Amino acid sequence: MKVLEGRKKQVFRKGETPFEIDCEKQSLAGSVSQRACVFCGSRVVLYPIADAVHLVHGPAGCAAYTWDIRGALSSGPELHRLSFTTDLREQEVIHGGESKLYQGLIQLIDRYHPKAAFVYGTCIVGVIGDDVEAVCKKVSALKGIPVIPVHSEGFKGTKKDGYKAACTALMRLIGRGRTDGISKYSVNILGDYNLAGEIWIIKDYYRRMGVEVVAGITGDGRVEEIERAHGAALNLVQCSGSMNYLAQLMKEKYGIPSLQVSYFGFEDMAEALYGVARHFNDAEMMKRTQELVRDEIQAIYPKLLEYRKALAGKKAAIYVGGAFKAFSLVKALRLLGMDVAVVGSQTGSKQDYQLLKELCDEGTIIVDDSNPLELSHFIREKNVSLFIGGVKERPIAYKLGIGFCDHNHERKVALAGFVGMLNFAEEVYQSVMSPVWQFIPRPKQSVPMGGVQDEYSRTANP
Amino acid sequence: MLLRHTDKEIKERVALTVNPAKTCQPVGAMYAALGIHNCLPHSHGSQGCCAYHRSTLTRHYKEPVMASTSSFTEGASVFGGQANLLEAINNIFSVYNPDVIAVHTTCLSEVIGDDIPQILAKAKEDGRIPEGKYVIHCNTPSFVGSHVTGFSNMVKGMVQYFAESSGNKLNQVNIIPGWVEPSDMREIKRLAREMGISTVVFPDTSDVLDAPLTGKHQFYPKGGVTIEALKSAGDSIGTIALGHFASAAAAEALDAKCNVKYEILDLPYGLLATDRFIDSLRRMAKVVVPESINAERGRLIDAISDMQSYFYGKRVALFGDPDQLIALSEFLVTLNMRPVYVVTGTPGKKFEEEMSRVLHEIPEAKFKQAGDIYLLHQWIKNEPVDLLMGNTYGKYIARDEDIPFIRIGFPILDRIGHSYFPLVSYTGALRLVEKILGAIMDRQDRDCPEESFELVM
C-alpha cells in the first residue's frame, strides 16, 4: 500500500522504525481524512449545556448536520436537542447577516427563556465579516442573559482549535455565580459528555466518596452550575484534547489545580477516584474510596472473566479522536486479554504518541490522522478481529468482516465507570463473536489448507 | 415531550429556522458523484464539511463513504483555494487513483470566489491530470437551495463534462433517476431490462452504496455509471428525467448540448406515476409493454383493493424533498387518503404549483416550500393527523403527538432497509402500501378496547 509521501512520518511501527512521529499537522489537501473542523470541535464541547440556546449562525447545513447527533443526555431541560439556525441565504452573504442574527436571537430568547445563548460562527461568517461580538453584546444587554459568541469558523484551524474557542466561551460564563456553600472537597468534571448517562455513574462514585460535584461542564450541563464552577477545589480533566485548555485557563484565573483522569477501564477508573482522595488527603475519604472500588470490581469481575476467556489472544485496532482515550482503551483491552495491533488518533500530540509507544507492545502500528485506505490495510495486515472507532469507521470494519465497537458519541451503552467496563466487554464480545462473520469469505492466507498468498484487493492501488 | 417547546400559535418567523427540513448543497453533490464508477467526490472547502457529509451519508446508507477534502486553512480563505485544489489533485491521483475526481464547492470556496474551471484548466496545463483520467466540477453554494439542488447540480455537471454527440444515434434511453436509494436505481434498471430497453442510468449508486459484504473494503465498489456510458448519453434517443427538482436541469443541459429530447416526469412512486414512467419508456423506445409488467401492476391494484377500506379518509402529514413529496401525495390521493400537510425545506415555487395540481381535491390541504419541521408540528398541533411520513427527524413529532410514523426520504438514521427495498415502480408501491397499512393496523391493535380487539381484520 502506498502511504502519501507527506504522511510517512505520521505512521510508526514500534520496534521497526525509529520514533519520530509527526503530528498536529494540517491534513494534506486531497486526503480522505477522518477529521472534522473548528465548528465541529466547539459544537461538541458546548452542546451538552442543556438549558442554553445554541444558535448556528450560517447556512442551514452546519445546523442540520449537528442536530441531535450526540447522545449527550440531560436529566432535565432538552433545549440543546433542537436545531436553531439563521439559515443564511444569498442575500445575507451579500449584505451581511447581522440583522438576521439579531432578530433570530431576540425571537429565541423571548420564546424559550434560556439561561444563556451561544452563537456559533461558521466559515461563511468569518468571510462576510459579521460583527457577531457586537450583536451578542447588544442582545445580552437587552435581555439580561449571557449571549456568548463562539469563534468557531470552520477553516480557522483544526477541531482542537474549536475546543479552544469553546473553552474561551465557557470562561465567559464561569465566575458569574456565587460560590458560597461549596464544600472544600469539591470538583468540576471536565470532558465527560454524559454519553449514555456516563456522568451520572461518575457523579455517583464521587458522591459516595464524599466529594461534591459543582459542575459537569461538558455533560448534563447547566448554565448556573457552570457559572459557579470557579468555586470548586479541583478540576478533573478527561478527554485531554478538548478540556486541558479550560483547566489551564481556570488555573491561571482562579488558581484551581487539575487532575488528568480517565473513566474507562478498571485501572484508570480506580485511579480517577484514588487520585481525588489523595489530592484531598483525607484518610476517611480514602477508606471509603477503597471500599467503593473493591465492591464495584468484585461485583463485576467474575462476569468479566467469562468474556475474557472468549476474547483472549484476539487482536484489536483503535482509531479515536483524542489520543488520551486510546491509553485507557489499550489497558482495558489488555484486561480482556486482547492485543492492540494498531492504534491511532485524529488529534494526538507528540507527547501522547510517546506515551502510547511506551504502553504498546512491539510491532504495534501507531498512526496519526489516518485514512480509510491505510486503516483497512493495517487491519488486514495484522489480522485484527475488533475495530474501535466512530461513525465513519463502523462500516469499514463490517466490510472487512470484523467486529466493531463505537467508542465515540454513537455509543448506546455507558462505557465509563466500573460497570462501563463490563458493558464494554459485553459489547466487544457480542460483536467479535457474532455468528455473521463466519459467513464472510476470508482471504486465502487465513485458510489453513490454502498456502496461497493473501489476495487482498485494493482497486485503489493496483 | 422532546418538542414540548413547539407553540401551537403560528407566528411569522423570518430570521430563524427551527428544526430544518433540508440540509446544504454539497452533501447532494457528494451522493450524486458516488454514482459514477471509480469516482472520488472531492469537497473544496474546510475539512468539517467533508466529514459531516461522509458521516451523514454513512449513517443513512450504512456503507463506507469515501470523499476527499481540500482542507482549507486560514491562508486559503485569504489567498484562495487554488493551491489546495492543485495539491489535492496530485495527492488523489497518486494515492487513491480514481478515474474521476468530482469536485464540488462549499460556502467558503464560493464566497472567496474560487474559479474552479480556471483551476482545473491550470491543473490540466501543468499535467496534473493523468491521461484517461478526469476532473469534473459543479458549484454548490450552501446558502442557495438545498441538498437536492446540490444533487441536481452534480448530475448536470456529469452531462456538461462527459456527454458527447457522435452523430450516430444509439438505441438507448437515458434515465436520470433523481435522489433515490440504490435499491430504486436497481429497480429502475430492472424495469427497463424487462421491457427490453438499453439504458444509461445516471447517477447510479446501486452496487456502490448497497455493496455485498465480501470481507474486503473496496475503495471503489463495482457499481456506478461508467464514463463510456456517460459519454454515450449524448447519442441516446431520449432522456427521461425523474423529478423536476433533482433531474430536470441535467436533462435540459443534455438537450442543449447534444440535442437529446427529454421528458420530465414525477418520481415513479405509486400507481399513476409509475404508469406514466412505463408509458414514457414505451413511447420513447418504441417497445410493447410486456405482460410481466402488466402483471406487476395488476398485483399492486389487487393489493390496494384489498386494503382500500382501511385507507379511506386518513389524514396524512408529509415532509422531506419536493420530488418525493409530489409523487407520494399523488399516490396517497389514489389510495383515497388525505395528504393534508406537506412541507419541504427546499425552496422553489414549482413545488407549490405541483402540489396545487396534485391536491386539488383536498381543499383543506396546506403545503409550503422553504418551510421547517417546526411549522409542520404547529399545523399538526392545531389539527391532528392519522399518519406522519418523512425522514428520521419526524420521530420527535411522532412520539410527542403519538402518531403512527413511516420513515421515508433522506436521511434515515435509525432504521435499516431503505437501501435494499425499492419504493419506485409497482413493486415499490406494494411495499409502500404494506408499510402504510401496517402502521394503521398496528395502531388500531394498540389502541382499541379489548372487546373490539379482533383477530380477523
Side-chain angles (χ1 to χ4, degrees), chain A residues 145-194:
Chain A
I145 61 162
V147 179
I148 301 171
V150 187
H151 298 289
S152 52
E153 292 83 356
F155 58 86
K156 286 192 171 165
T158 65
K159 192 170 170 183
K160 256 187 169 170
D161 297 296
Y163 298 147
K164 278 193 170 178
C167 293
T168 310
L170 281 166
M171 282 304 282
R172 294 169 75 154
L173 273 187
I174 295 166
R176 293 171 48 91
R178 295 170 61 112
T179 57
D180 40 323
I182 293 177
S183 159
K184 64 173 175 170
Y185 296 146
S186 57
V187 297
N188 294 314
I189 299 180
L190 282 66
D192 182 285
Y193 292 88
N194 201 30

Short mmCIF file of all heavy atoms in Angstrom, two decimals, chain A residues 145-194:
data_model
loop_
_atom_site.label_atom_id
_atom_site.label_comp_id
_atom_site.label_asym_id
_atom_site.label_seq_id
_atom_site.Cartn_x
_atom_site.Cartn_y
_atom_site.Cartn_z
N ILE A 145 -29.30 38.20 29.77
CA ILE A 145 -28.66 36.89 29.94
C ILE A 145 -27.35 36.90 29.16
O ILE A 145 -27.18 37.70 28.25
CB ILE A 145 -29.54 35.71 29.43
CG1 ILE A 145 -29.83 35.86 27.92
CG2 ILE A 145 -30.82 35.58 30.24
CD1 ILE A 145 -30.28 34.57 27.28
N PRO A 146 -26.42 36.03 29.53
CA PRO A 146 -25.18 35.97 28.75
C PRO A 146 -25.46 35.49 27.32
O PRO A 146 -26.12 34.47 27.15
CB PRO A 146 -24.32 34.94 29.49
CG PRO A 146 -25.02 34.61 30.75
CD PRO A 146 -26.43 35.08 30.65
N VAL A 147 -25.04 36.26 26.36
CA VAL A 147 -25.14 35.84 24.95
C VAL A 147 -23.71 35.81 24.43
O VAL A 147 -23.06 36.85 24.34
CB VAL A 147 -26.00 36.83 24.13
CG1 VAL A 147 -26.07 36.38 22.68
CG2 VAL A 147 -27.40 36.91 24.73
N ILE A 148 -23.23 34.59 24.18
CA ILE A 148 -21.79 34.41 24.01
C ILE A 148 -21.44 33.97 22.60
O ILE A 148 -21.93 32.94 22.13
CB ILE A 148 -21.28 33.36 25.03
CG1 ILE A 148 -21.61 33.86 26.44
CG2 ILE A 148 -19.80 33.08 24.85
CD1 ILE A 148 -21.37 32.84 27.51
N PRO A 149 -20.60 34.75 21.92
CA PRO A 149 -20.17 34.32 20.59
C PRO A 149 -19.10 33.23 20.70
O PRO A 149 -18.24 33.30 21.57
CB PRO A 149 -19.57 35.60 19.99
CG PRO A 149 -19.16 36.42 21.16
CD PRO A 149 -20.00 36.02 22.33
N VAL A 150 -19.21 32.24 19.85
CA VAL A 150 -18.18 31.19 19.81
C VAL A 150 -17.47 31.33 18.47
O VAL A 150 -18.09 31.22 17.42
CB VAL A 150 -18.82 29.79 19.92
CG1 VAL A 150 -17.73 28.73 20.04
CG2 VAL A 150 -19.79 29.72 21.09
N HIS A 151 -16.18 31.62 18.54
CA HIS A 151 -15.45 31.88 17.30
C HIS A 151 -14.99 30.57 16.69
O HIS A 151 -13.86 30.15 16.83
CB HIS A 151 -14.29 32.83 17.58
CG HIS A 151 -14.78 34.17 18.07
ND1 HIS A 151 -15.43 35.06 17.25
CD2 HIS A 151 -14.79 34.72 19.30
CE1 HIS A 151 -15.80 36.12 17.96
NE2 HIS A 151 -15.42 35.94 19.21
N SER A 152 -15.94 29.94 15.99
CA SER A 152 -15.70 28.59 15.51
C SER A 152 -15.73 28.49 13.99
O SER A 152 -16.16 27.48 13.44
CB SER A 152 -16.74 27.66 16.13
OG SER A 152 -18.05 28.16 15.91
N GLU A 153 -15.28 29.52 13.29
CA GLU A 153 -15.25 29.48 11.84
C GLU A 153 -14.42 28.26 11.40
O GLU A 153 -13.27 28.11 11.79
CB GLU A 153 -14.64 30.76 11.26
CG GLU A 153 -15.50 31.99 11.48
CD GLU A 153 -15.33 32.63 12.85
OE1 GLU A 153 -14.59 32.07 13.68
OE2 GLU A 153 -15.94 33.68 13.10
N GLY A 154 -15.05 27.42 10.58
CA GLY A 154 -14.51 26.10 10.26
C GLY A 154 -13.07 26.05 9.80
O GLY A 154 -12.34 25.12 10.13
N PHE A 155 -12.64 27.05 9.06
CA PHE A 155 -11.33 26.97 8.42
C PHE A 155 -10.21 27.48 9.31
O PHE A 155 -9.05 27.43 8.94
CB PHE A 155 -11.35 27.77 7.11
CG PHE A 155 -11.71 29.22 7.30
CD1 PHE A 155 -10.74 30.15 7.63
CD2 PHE A 155 -13.03 29.64 7.18
CE1 PHE A 155 -11.07 31.48 7.82
CE2 PHE A 155 -13.37 30.97 7.38
CZ PHE A 155 -12.39 31.90 7.70
N LYS A 156 -10.56 28.00 10.50
CA LYS A 156 -9.53 28.66 11.32
C LYS A 156 -8.73 27.69 12.16
O LYS A 156 -8.45 27.94 13.33
CB LYS A 156 -10.18 29.73 12.20
CG LYS A 156 -10.59 30.96 11.40
CD LYS A 156 -10.96 32.11 12.30
CE LYS A 156 -11.14 33.38 11.47
NZ LYS A 156 -11.83 34.43 12.23
N GLY A 157 -8.40 26.55 11.60
CA GLY A 157 -7.56 25.58 12.30
C GLY A 157 -8.18 24.20 12.28
O GLY A 157 -8.90 23.85 11.34
N THR A 158 -7.91 23.42 13.32
CA THR A 158 -8.42 22.05 13.38
C THR A 158 -9.52 21.98 14.43
O THR A 158 -9.87 22.97 15.05
CB THR A 158 -7.30 21.08 13.81
OG1 THR A 158 -6.91 21.43 15.14
CG2 THR A 158 -6.09 21.19 12.90
N LYS A 159 -10.05 20.76 14.61
CA LYS A 159 -11.08 20.54 15.61
C LYS A 159 -10.59 20.99 16.99
O LYS A 159 -11.35 21.52 17.80
CB LYS A 159 -11.41 19.05 15.62
CG LYS A 159 -12.63 18.67 16.40
CD LYS A 159 -12.98 17.21 16.11
CE LYS A 159 -14.06 16.71 17.04
NZ LYS A 159 -14.36 15.28 16.82
N LYS A 160 -9.29 20.80 17.23
CA LYS A 160 -8.70 21.20 18.51
C LYS A 160 -8.86 22.70 18.76
O LYS A 160 -9.09 23.14 19.88
CB LYS A 160 -7.21 20.87 18.52
CG LYS A 160 -6.88 19.65 19.33
CD LYS A 160 -5.38 19.50 19.43
CE LYS A 160 -5.03 18.44 20.45
NZ LYS A 160 -3.61 18.08 20.40
N ASP A 161 -8.70 23.49 17.70
CA ASP A 161 -8.89 24.94 17.85
C ASP A 161 -10.34 25.25 18.20
O ASP A 161 -10.64 26.25 18.86
CB ASP A 161 -8.47 25.67 16.58
CG ASP A 161 -6.99 25.47 16.31
OD1 ASP A 161 -6.18 25.93 17.12
OD2 ASP A 161 -6.64 24.82 15.31
N GLY A 162 -11.23 24.39 17.74
CA GLY A 162 -12.64 24.54 18.09
C GLY A 162 -12.87 24.29 19.57
O GLY A 162 -13.67 24.97 20.21
N TYR A 163 -12.14 23.31 20.12
CA TYR A 163 -12.23 23.07 21.56
C TYR A 163 -11.80 24.34 22.30
O TYR A 163 -12.42 24.75 23.27
CB TYR A 163 -11.31 21.93 21.99
CG TYR A 163 -11.59 20.58 21.39
CD1 TYR A 163 -10.57 19.68 21.12
CD2 TYR A 163 -12.90 20.17 21.11
CE1 TYR A 163 -10.81 18.43 20.60
CE2 TYR A 163 -13.14 18.92 20.58
CZ TYR A 163 -12.09 18.05 20.33
OH TYR A 163 -12.34 16.80 19.81
N LYS A 164 -10.73 24.92 21.83
CA LYS A 164 -10.20 26.13 22.48
C LYS A 164 -11.23 27.26 22.44
O LYS A 164 -11.45 27.96 23.43
CB LYS A 164 -8.92 26.60 21.78
CG LYS A 164 -7.69 25.85 22.23
CD LYS A 164 -6.44 26.57 21.76
CE LYS A 164 -5.21 25.97 22.42
NZ LYS A 164 -3.98 26.59 21.96
N ALA A 165 -11.84 27.44 21.27
CA ALA A 165 -12.85 28.50 21.15
C ALA A 165 -13.99 28.27 22.13
O ALA A 165 -14.52 29.21 22.73
CB ALA A 165 -13.37 28.55 19.71
N ALA A 166 -14.34 26.99 22.30
CA ALA A 166 -15.42 26.66 23.25
C ALA A 166 -14.97 26.96 24.68
O ALA A 166 -15.75 27.48 25.48
CB ALA A 166 -15.81 25.19 23.10
N CYS A 167 -13.72 26.63 24.99
CA CYS A 167 -13.20 26.89 26.33
C CYS A 167 -13.21 28.40 26.62
O CYS A 167 -13.58 28.83 27.71
CB CYS A 167 -11.79 26.34 26.49
SG CYS A 167 -11.72 24.54 26.45
N THR A 168 -12.82 29.17 25.63
CA THR A 168 -12.84 30.62 25.78
C THR A 168 -14.25 31.11 26.06
O THR A 168 -14.48 31.97 26.91
CB THR A 168 -12.30 31.29 24.50
OG1 THR A 168 -11.05 30.67 24.18
CG2 THR A 168 -12.10 32.77 24.67
N ALA A 169 -15.22 30.53 25.33
CA ALA A 169 -16.62 30.90 25.55
C ALA A 169 -17.07 30.52 26.96
O ALA A 169 -17.76 31.28 27.64
CB ALA A 169 -17.50 30.22 24.49
N LEU A 170 -16.65 29.33 27.40
CA LEU A 170 -17.04 28.87 28.74
C LEU A 170 -16.50 29.81 29.82
O LEU A 170 -17.16 30.06 30.84
CB LEU A 170 -16.51 27.45 28.99
CG LEU A 170 -17.33 26.33 28.35
CD1 LEU A 170 -16.55 25.02 28.36
CD2 LEU A 170 -18.66 26.15 29.08
N MET A 171 -15.29 30.32 29.59
CA MET A 171 -14.69 31.23 30.58
C MET A 171 -15.53 32.48 30.79
O MET A 171 -15.42 33.16 31.80
CB MET A 171 -13.26 31.61 30.17
CG MET A 171 -12.24 30.52 30.46
SD MET A 171 -12.17 29.99 32.18
CE MET A 171 -11.24 31.34 32.93
N ARG A 172 -16.37 32.79 29.81
CA ARG A 172 -17.22 33.97 29.96
C ARG A 172 -18.43 33.68 30.83
O ARG A 172 -19.10 34.59 31.31
CB ARG A 172 -17.65 34.48 28.58
CG ARG A 172 -16.45 35.01 27.81
CD ARG A 172 -16.76 35.29 26.36
NE ARG A 172 -17.55 36.50 26.18
CZ ARG A 172 -17.54 37.23 25.08
NH1 ARG A 172 -16.73 36.89 24.07
NH2 ARG A 172 -18.29 38.29 24.96
N LEU A 173 -18.72 32.39 31.04
CA LEU A 173 -19.80 32.02 31.96
C LEU A 173 -19.25 31.82 33.36
O LEU A 173 -19.85 32.26 34.35
CB LEU A 173 -20.44 30.70 31.51
CG LEU A 173 -21.58 30.71 30.50
CD1 LEU A 173 -22.13 29.29 30.37
CD2 LEU A 173 -22.69 31.65 30.94
N ILE A 174 -18.11 31.12 33.43
CA ILE A 174 -17.52 30.78 34.72
C ILE A 174 -17.16 32.06 35.47
O ILE A 174 -16.60 32.98 34.88
CB ILE A 174 -16.27 29.89 34.51
CG1 ILE A 174 -16.69 28.55 33.91
CG2 ILE A 174 -15.50 29.69 35.82
CD1 ILE A 174 -15.56 27.72 33.36
N GLY A 175 -17.51 32.09 36.75
CA GLY A 175 -17.17 33.27 37.53
C GLY A 175 -18.34 34.20 37.75
O GLY A 175 -18.26 35.15 38.53
N ARG A 176 -19.45 33.94 37.09
CA ARG A 176 -20.61 34.81 37.24
C ARG A 176 -21.46 34.47 38.46
O ARG A 176 -22.24 35.28 38.92
CB ARG A 176 -21.49 34.73 35.99
CG ARG A 176 -20.87 35.30 34.73
CD ARG A 176 -21.72 34.97 33.50
NE ARG A 176 -23.13 35.27 33.72
CZ ARG A 176 -23.72 36.43 33.44
NH1 ARG A 176 -23.02 37.40 32.90
NH2 ARG A 176 -25.00 36.62 33.66
N GLY A 177 -21.31 33.23 38.94
CA GLY A 177 -22.20 32.79 40.01
C GLY A 177 -21.58 32.93 41.40
O GLY A 177 -20.41 33.25 41.55
N ARG A 178 -22.41 32.70 42.43
CA ARG A 178 -21.93 32.76 43.81
C ARG A 178 -21.33 31.41 44.20
O ARG A 178 -21.79 30.37 43.77
CB ARG A 178 -23.10 33.08 44.75
CG ARG A 178 -23.70 34.44 44.53
CD ARG A 178 -24.99 34.54 45.33
NE ARG A 178 -24.70 34.37 46.75
CZ ARG A 178 -24.81 35.34 47.65
NH1 ARG A 178 -25.22 36.54 47.28
NH2 ARG A 178 -24.54 35.13 48.92
N THR A 179 -20.32 31.46 45.05
CA THR A 179 -19.63 30.22 45.39
C THR A 179 -19.80 29.84 46.86
O THR A 179 -19.16 28.91 47.33
CB THR A 179 -18.13 30.32 45.07
OG1 THR A 179 -17.62 31.45 45.80
CG2 THR A 179 -17.88 30.51 43.60
N ASP A 180 -20.64 30.57 47.58
CA ASP A 180 -20.80 30.23 48.99
C ASP A 180 -21.49 28.87 49.13
O ASP A 180 -22.30 28.48 48.31
CB ASP A 180 -21.57 31.31 49.75
CG ASP A 180 -22.73 31.86 48.94
OD1 ASP A 180 -22.56 31.99 47.71
OD2 ASP A 180 -23.80 32.14 49.50
N GLY A 181 -21.12 28.17 50.18
CA GLY A 181 -21.75 26.88 50.45
C GLY A 181 -21.11 25.70 49.73
O GLY A 181 -21.55 24.57 49.89
N ILE A 182 -20.09 25.96 48.94
CA ILE A 182 -19.44 24.85 48.22
C ILE A 182 -18.44 24.17 49.17
O ILE A 182 -17.67 24.83 49.86
CB ILE A 182 -18.72 25.35 46.94
CG1 ILE A 182 -19.77 25.85 45.94
CG2 ILE A 182 -17.88 24.26 46.32
CD1 ILE A 182 -19.20 26.43 44.67
N SER A 183 -18.47 22.85 49.19
CA SER A 183 -17.62 22.06 50.09
C SER A 183 -16.13 22.26 49.75
O SER A 183 -15.78 22.54 48.61
CB SER A 183 -17.99 20.59 49.96
OG SER A 183 -16.95 19.77 50.40
N LYS A 184 -15.27 22.05 50.78
CA LYS A 184 -13.83 22.12 50.46
C LYS A 184 -13.42 20.88 49.67
O LYS A 184 -12.37 20.85 49.04
CB LYS A 184 -13.01 22.27 51.75
CG LYS A 184 -13.10 21.11 52.71
CD LYS A 184 -12.13 21.30 53.87
CE LYS A 184 -12.32 20.17 54.89
NZ LYS A 184 -11.30 20.12 55.89
N TYR A 185 -14.24 19.82 49.74
CA TYR A 185 -13.99 18.65 48.91
C TYR A 185 -14.91 18.72 47.68
O TYR A 185 -15.97 18.11 47.65
CB TYR A 185 -14.27 17.37 49.69
CG TYR A 185 -13.35 17.17 50.88
CD1 TYR A 185 -13.81 16.56 52.05
CD2 TYR A 185 -12.02 17.58 50.83
CE1 TYR A 185 -12.98 16.37 53.12
CE2 TYR A 185 -11.18 17.40 51.92
CZ TYR A 185 -11.66 16.80 53.06
OH TYR A 185 -10.82 16.61 54.12
N SER A 186 -14.52 19.49 46.72
CA SER A 186 -15.41 19.68 45.57
C SER A 186 -14.63 19.66 44.27
O SER A 186 -13.47 20.06 44.22
CB SER A 186 -16.18 20.99 45.72
OG SER A 186 -15.25 22.05 45.83
N VAL A 187 -15.31 19.20 43.24
CA VAL A 187 -14.65 19.10 41.92
C VAL A 187 -15.59 19.58 40.81
O VAL A 187 -16.81 19.64 40.98
CB VAL A 187 -14.25 17.64 41.61
CG1 VAL A 187 -13.24 17.10 42.60
CG2 VAL A 187 -15.48 16.74 41.55
N ASN A 188 -14.98 19.90 39.67
CA ASN A 188 -15.72 20.04 38.41
C ASN A 188 -15.32 18.87 37.53
O ASN A 188 -14.16 18.45 37.54
CB ASN A 188 -15.34 21.31 37.67
CG ASN A 188 -15.74 22.56 38.41
OD1 ASN A 188 -16.86 22.67 38.90
ND2 ASN A 188 -14.82 23.51 38.50
N ILE A 189 -16.28 18.35 36.77
CA ILE A 189 -15.95 17.28 35.82
C ILE A 189 -15.87 17.90 34.42
O ILE A 189 -16.85 18.44 33.92
CB ILE A 189 -17.00 16.16 35.87
CG1 ILE A 189 -17.02 15.56 37.29
CG2 ILE A 189 -16.68 15.09 34.83
CD1 ILE A 189 -18.02 14.43 37.46
N LEU A 190 -14.67 17.82 33.86
CA LEU A 190 -14.45 18.39 32.54
C LEU A 190 -14.19 17.25 31.54
O LEU A 190 -13.42 16.34 31.83
CB LEU A 190 -13.20 19.30 32.54
CG LEU A 190 -13.30 20.71 33.11
CD1 LEU A 190 -13.58 20.69 34.60
CD2 LEU A 190 -12.01 21.47 32.84
N GLY A 191 -14.85 17.31 30.38
CA GLY A 191 -14.53 16.35 29.32
C GLY A 191 -15.23 15.02 29.44
O GLY A 191 -14.85 14.06 28.79
N ASP A 192 -16.27 14.94 30.26
CA ASP A 192 -17.16 13.78 30.14
C ASP A 192 -18.45 14.30 29.55
O ASP A 192 -19.00 15.28 30.04
CB ASP A 192 -17.44 13.11 31.49
CG ASP A 192 -18.33 11.90 31.29
OD1 ASP A 192 -19.56 12.09 31.06
OD2 ASP A 192 -17.82 10.78 31.33
N TYR A 193 -18.94 13.65 28.51
CA TYR A 193 -20.05 14.21 27.73
C TYR A 193 -21.40 13.59 28.07
O TYR A 193 -22.38 13.80 27.37
CB TYR A 193 -19.71 14.10 26.24
CG TYR A 193 -18.58 15.04 25.92
CD1 TYR A 193 -17.25 14.64 26.04
CD2 TYR A 193 -18.83 16.36 25.59
CE1 TYR A 193 -16.21 15.53 25.81
CE2 TYR A 193 -17.81 17.26 25.36
CZ TYR A 193 -16.50 16.83 25.48
OH TYR A 193 -15.48 17.71 25.26
N ASN A 194 -21.42 12.80 29.12
CA ASN A 194 -22.65 12.12 29.54
C ASN A 194 -23.29 11.32 28.41
O ASN A 194 -24.52 11.26 28.29
CB ASN A 194 -23.67 13.09 30.14
CG ASN A 194 -24.67 12.33 31.01
OD1 ASN A 194 -24.33 11.31 31.60
ND2 ASN A 194 -25.91 12.81 31.07
#
